[in-house]
């Protein structure tokens, strides 16, 4: 959350001349409503099932850059789908993440104290991200173009 996944994916897609797909957008298109409404109306478990299906479909159909939602790898089924693929974890520290997400409007997991919720999410998720990633890139203090360049160099 706040690492710049979608922006960096778009920059890499441009650089490599390939399509870019974002599974959060796929989930919203399938559900016909924003992620925040899916969480409220149907719950996180339903959202994760939609997300897992979106990742499976995208991996089968799409051969460009794929941006996953920040919680996608929490699902063991989604982690299994990613085995054998190059996965880049855009690591963001607490301070930068909080600055980037602002008040968390439209982010259902940030209801309440934003800084505290972001810290909790980073603490819970970082070990999983690191386990799934084939490449880790720190984003703190960097603009998206710098992050994209670093990924491009690392994946050569």
């Amino acid at each position: 959350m706040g690492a710049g996944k979608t922006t960096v994916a778009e920059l890499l897609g441009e650089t490599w001349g390939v399509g870019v797909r974002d599974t959060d957008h796929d989930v919203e298109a399938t559900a016909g409503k924003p992620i925040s409404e899916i969480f409220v109306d149907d719950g996180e478990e339903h959202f994760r099932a939609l997300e897992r299906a979106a990742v499976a479909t995208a991996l089968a159909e799409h051969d460009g850059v794929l941006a996953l939602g920040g919680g996608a790898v929490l699902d063991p089924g989604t982690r299994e789908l990613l085995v054998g693929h190059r996965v880049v974890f855009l690591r963001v520290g607490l301070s930068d993440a909080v600055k980037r997400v602002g008040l968390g409007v439209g982010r259902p997991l940030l209801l309440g104290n934003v800084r505290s919720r972001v810290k909790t999410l980073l603490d819970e998720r970082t070990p999983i991200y690191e386990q799934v990633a084939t490449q880790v890139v720190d984003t703190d203090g960097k603009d998206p173009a710098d992050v994209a360049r670093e990924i491009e160099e690392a994946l050569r």
Side-chain angles (χ1 to χ4, degrees):
M1 195 174 298
K5 296 175 295 292
T6 301
T7 303
V8 170
E10 289 169 356
L11 290 168
L12 288 170
E14 283 179 30
T15 299
W16 293 331
V18 299
V20 176
R21 190 162 173 172
D22 186 315
T23 57
D24 279 350
H25 298 156
D26 292 349
V27 168
E28 290 179 334
T30 298
K33 55 186 167 182
I35 290 171
S36 58
E37 287 182 25
I38 298 169
F39 267 77
V40 170
D41 297 346
D42 309 307
E44 184 174 359
E45 187 176 327
H46 179 71
F47 168 74
R48 294 295 173 209
L50 292 173
E51 185 175 51
R52 181 176 50 254
V55 171
T57 299
L59 289 172
E61 297 175 352
H62 181 70
D63 61 358
V65 179
L66 182 61
L68 302 184
V73 299
L74 299 178
D75 180 84
T78 300
R79 289 196 301 271
E80 184 63 31
L81 291 168
L82 295 171
V83 171
H85 294 275
R86 291 193 284 184
V87 178
V88 179
F89 164 34
L90 302 181
R91 183 169 34 215
V92 61
L94 177 60
S95 181
D96 277 30
V98 170
K99 283 184 222 167
R100 293 174 189 170
V101 300
L103 295 176
V105 175
R107 295 179 185 263
L109 293 178
L110 291 186
L111 297 175
N113 180 323
V114 173
R115 184 176 182 82
S116 173
R117 289 295 302 141
V118 169
K119 181 178 181 346
T120 299
L121 291 172
L122 287 173
D123 290 347
E124 291 171 352
R125 294 176 176 187
T126 296
I128 298 169
Y129 294 155
E130 290 172 342
Q131 173 193 3
V132 172
T134 56
Q135 184 71 38
V136 177
V137 175
D138 290 306
T139 67
D140 286 356
K142 298 176 186 171
D143 67 30
D146 291 334
V147 174
R149 270 191 298 282
E150 190 171 331
I151 293 168
E152 183 182 11
E153 290 172 11
L155 296 181
R156 283 186 190 169

